[in-house]
Amino acid sequence: MKPLQLAMSAFGPYASEQSLDFADLKGRKFFLIHGATGAGKTTILDAICYALYGSATSDLREAKALRSDHADPLVLTEVSFTFAIGNEVYRVRRSPRQERPKKKGDGITEQQPEAELYKIDGEKETLLEAKYENVTRKITDLLGFQCSQFRQVVLLPQGEFRKLLVAKSEERQQIMKTLFKTELYQRIEEHLKKKAKEKADAIKAIYEKKEWLLAEASTDSLASLEETIAQLKIETETANKKLQTVQIEYQQAQEQLNEANLVEQKFKEYESAEEAFGQVNLLLGEMEAKRSELAMLERAEKLAEAEKIVRKLQQDSKQYQEAEVKQKQAVEMTQQKVKDAQTAFQVEREKEAERQSLDNQILKLQEYVKQTSALTETKKAWQDKEAVAKKALIEKNTVEEKLANLEADLQKMLELEQSYLVETAKVDSYKMQVDALSKAVDKHQQLSKVQKEISRAKNLVQQLQLTLDKVIEERQAMQTEFGKMQHLFNIGQAGLLAKELKAGEPCPVCGAKEHLKLAALLEDLPTQQTIDALQEKLVQLEEKQAKSQADLQQAMIRKETLVAQSEHFTKELAEFASFSLEDLRRKADIAKQQYETTHMIMQKLAPLKEKIARYKEAQERGAKRQKEMQEAFQRADGEAQALQAVFQEREQSVPEEYRELEVLQTLLREGRAKQLALKENFERAQQSLQAAKEAAASAIATLQSIQMNLKQTQTEFEAEKTAFYARMEAEGFAEFAAYVQTRHRLGDIPALRDGLLRFDRNFAASKERIVRAKGAIQGFIQPNLEEIKSKYNVLQEMQAQAIANLAKLNLALEKQRKNAKQIHALEAELMKMQTENGVLAKLYQVTRGDNKFSMNLQRFVLGSLLEQVTEAANVMLKTMSKSRYLLQRTTDVARKGSASGLDLEVFDNNTGVARSVATLSGGETFLASLALALGLADVVQQYAGGIRLDTIFVDEGFGTLDPESLDMALNTLIELQNGGRLVGIISHVPELKERIDARLQVSIGKHGSSAKFYVG
């Protein structure tokens, strides 16, 4: 992840909108964030972390408390962060829950938290997520780690920088598992666990199924089951023989019953046929009456068709009469139209003279059009030639003007070339000046650094001198106190001795037996313990004095060494020693600019020479083009004058009023339109007359056809009418009314015919049935059916019982055989699965951590990766700690049952002993944490393709380092630029502002803070 832009509004100490464009770093990969305490340096990191995850860099900073106290109530707290992951660019916008004034009315309302994530492709932004939690989840997927891991790997805030170094094994596992995406190994472990459990469950299921099958077979072993199967086979064979005997007897009884049923059916059929034939005979009289009725209806049906013909002819005759009247009226109308058309045709025929005159006028106009067109073309040719001559003249003038400009530009370029040659002769001088000034700047920086070190060394000497003076004073006071106490102790000892002396006994000190003046025994005298304690303190002060003197001497030696270095650098600066560092930098920049300008001029010289050559070639081409344009103008101007003479000559042959082609064409169009109208009117009148005559002839022919059809129809009607009445009497209808009454019942004919047909069929069938049934019972005696059925039922029951018994035995035999087969198969499968389970269980046992290292598969892989991380970290830590410290992984198990393999310890080359990282000092912890974070970033990018650690931010920690360690740490961070990684650090250490030329300065104002990039 690389930051591109950060915009904050009413966020932390930034009251108004604050925008930071990381492009302002101008390609710098290492920059310092500095400013006064409380200005808002860490807030910049808070803003990045909040935009990505909705949380600040520390759990102590709640998102809802990040609003600026300086902000206007109308300005909402919001952060927008644009960043890149590889070649993909994203922008996230986030605002917390906050109170704001209502848009309508008075009072305040609560603004809900909002978040949006966009993908940027050029000018196009595509919304990916819009909900607060969804944006956080999507950011986690894109970056590859959660907020807590982001703060331990990319953004290293105050107080949390050392967490990755001193984290417990379990915590470090969670971080590395996310970064290196080792879920695959966990899934392998879970898969083996699942498969081992499935295999164990399957084996258990086989055992249970085998026991269930034995219980189902009512036995306790496979051998017992085999004996049961053999016994069932014997019983099945006996039952089968018994069934065969019963089936033979049953088959015989069934055949006897079938024969008896057939004979019984024949006798019943004869009785039924007699009964049916008697019922049919009862309907004979009724059927004869219906036959007579049907005959009369059929005669009336024949007459109905003839009646229809008569009525149709009568209707046609009436229609022809009506058509005759209408057609007579049409004939009269067409004859009137013929008269009108003859009148109109005569009017148009009388206009023949007008049409002839118009034709002559059009011919004359057409001739004038030809002459005028030729005149116009000649004029156009003359004007075109004049335009060509004019264009040639303009182009000739343009070429001459360009040629003059070209000559002027060429002269300037020749002068510029001469100046370039003069300037480039100075390039070596400028280069030497740049080198000398650059060396002077470096020496001056070293001198400034040494002078600052001298100042610190002087301060240290003064402090150490004061400390030594104080220690000497304390030692002298303690010496005096000790002498005083020792004296009092001695006096006390003399008093105690005197107290024990007796007259006549020798003194243990001097040996005298006479004790002239005894020492007095005083009160509140110091004890031996007091004297010993004072003596110990005196020894400690003497040791402290010796150490202070040694420290002071070492500090004085360092100060003198630094002074000598300062004098050496001053001597090397020579004539530049009197200049300040800023003056030297300014002079170096000016010299560098002069050198670069001259170098650029050198680069421009060759293209300039090529350009001069091109301009000379262009000058030659321009002169040639100028000559061509002069010749073209003279040629076109001569042709234009010749065409002008031809035009003036032709113009005299055309009358002045017809010299305009448009006027002629207008007159011609009008004449032709009038000519066409006269012609069309004549033809239309002629066609109308012809059409009217044809319409009149057609109308007369139609009338004659109608009259002929009317006469023919009336004749046919009278003949058909006479024939109908004759047939009606012949069919037995004396009057027309009797016929009409019968005709109304013609719909009954189908039913009568169908009823008579069914009766005739039933009568014939009944007669045939009784004959057939009587013949079928000839030679048979009616059987005793009940006695035969009783015997059949008894045998049927016996057969059913025998079948059921055999089926039961077969089922039991088949079931036991199936059980035996399944048990055999289960035992074979059990042997196979037990073999497979042994391998699978062993694999799972090893991968889950049941081994001498107490490490599961995923932790083993992470341990290997951690070793690579420590190797990468040690490259930097070795330099920063002057080869003293190396990080290493330990596989020791701290307590039984705890996870191992991801703990870290530090190996101290000075002592040759490995110890806990928690024993490192504050500065040492900072260096080790920094090295570990950078090593982790390198290894993650090698292995985790989806995670890009292109950026690292470090918040404080540099103040715990001595000057030499600070130099080494900075050099390590500066070297990261070679790998393209962006490194930003927050620090109050003053020296860093001079060492790092790219800075983000945070300033405090009365109305909030502001931040700005400074480079150079």
Side-chain angles (χ1 to χ4, degrees), residues 11 45-64 66 94 132 136 147-148 150-151 155:
F11 191 83
L45 305 188
D46 286 336
I48 293 175
C49 194
Y50 173 72
L52 294 173
Y53 295 100
S55 174
T57 58
S58 173
D59 294 332
L60 300 177
R61 302 172 185 241
E62 297 183 3
K64 64 182 180 181
L66 294 175
R94 198 184 289 265
Y132 206 83
T136 303
C147 181
S148 59
F150 181 79
R151 295 196 302 231
L155 195 152

Side-chain angles (χ1 to χ4, degrees), residues 322-441:
E322 293 173 353
E324 182 184 19
V325 173
K326 291 181 180 179
Q327 192 60 29
K328 286 180 178 180
Q329 295 174 353
V331 168
E332 292 175 357
M333 290 176 63
T334 56
Q335 288 176 345
Q336 182 60 41
K337 288 182 179 180
V338 169
K339 293 178 181 179
D340 294 341
Q342 286 176 338
T343 302
F345 176 71
Q346 186 62 32
V347 171
E348 292 299 325
R349 189 165 57 181
E350 292 173 354
K351 295 179 181 179
E352 180 62 30
E354 183 181 355
R355 286 194 292 272
Q356 188 63 38
S357 174
L358 190 58
D359 290 343
N360 295 332
Q361 185 180 358
I362 288 172
L363 290 173
K364 182 179 179 182
L365 288 172
Q366 286 176 341
E367 182 62 27
Y368 283 140
V369 166
K370 291 178 183 180
Q371 295 177 6
T372 305
S373 296
L375 186 63
T376 302
E377 290 175 0
T378 303
K379 184 178 182 181
K380 183 176 183 304
W382 164 40
Q383 291 174 343
D384 289 345
K385 283 299 178 181
E386 280 188 334
V388 170
K390 185 178 180 181
K391 182 179 178 182
L393 180 61
I394 293 171
E395 189 169 352
K396 179 178 76 71
N397 294 335
T398 302
V399 169
E400 289 174 350
E401 182 179 354
K402 287 183 178 180
L403 192 58
N405 293 334
L406 187 65
E407 290 174 351
D409 291 342
L410 182 59
Q411 184 61 35
K412 291 179 181 178
M413 283 188 286
L414 290 171
E415 294 173 358
L416 182 62
E417 180 187 21
Q418 187 61 34
S419 67
Y420 277 4
L421 290 171
V422 172
E423 193 65 28
T424 53
K426 304 175 184 178
V427 67
D428 292 335
S429 173
Y430 287 152
K431 181 67 170 65
M432 293 175 62
Q433 189 176 1
V434 168
D435 293 341
L437 286 169
S438 297
K439 290 179 181 178
V441 168

Side-chain angles (χ1 to χ4, degrees), residues 252-269:
Q252 292 172 351
Q254 188 177 35
E255 290 174 356
Q256 185 180 4
L257 179 60
N258 289 339
E259 291 177 359
N261 282 330
L262 288 174
V263 174
E264 180 67 20
Q265 287 177 2
K266 290 178 181 180
F267 277 96
K268 286 184 177 180
E269 171 61 18

Side-chain angles (χ1 to χ4, degrees), residues 649-688:
E649 180 182 354
R650 291 180 177 177
E651 188 178 28
Q652 300 302 320
S653 63
V654 180
E656 186 175 354
E657 64 269 19
Y658 294 138
R659 290 176 184 174
E660 292 293 333
L661 185 60
E662 292 183 0
V663 174
L664 273 174
Q665 289 175 340
T666 300
L667 292 173
L668 185 59
R669 282 196 302 272
E670 292 175 353
R672 285 175 175 171
K674 188 174 181 182
Q675 180 189 40
L676 180 61
L678 288 171
K679 182 180 179 181
E680 287 178 349
N681 289 338
F682 177 77
E683 291 175 350
R684 194 181 298 112
Q686 191 177 27
Q687 292 171 357
S688 297

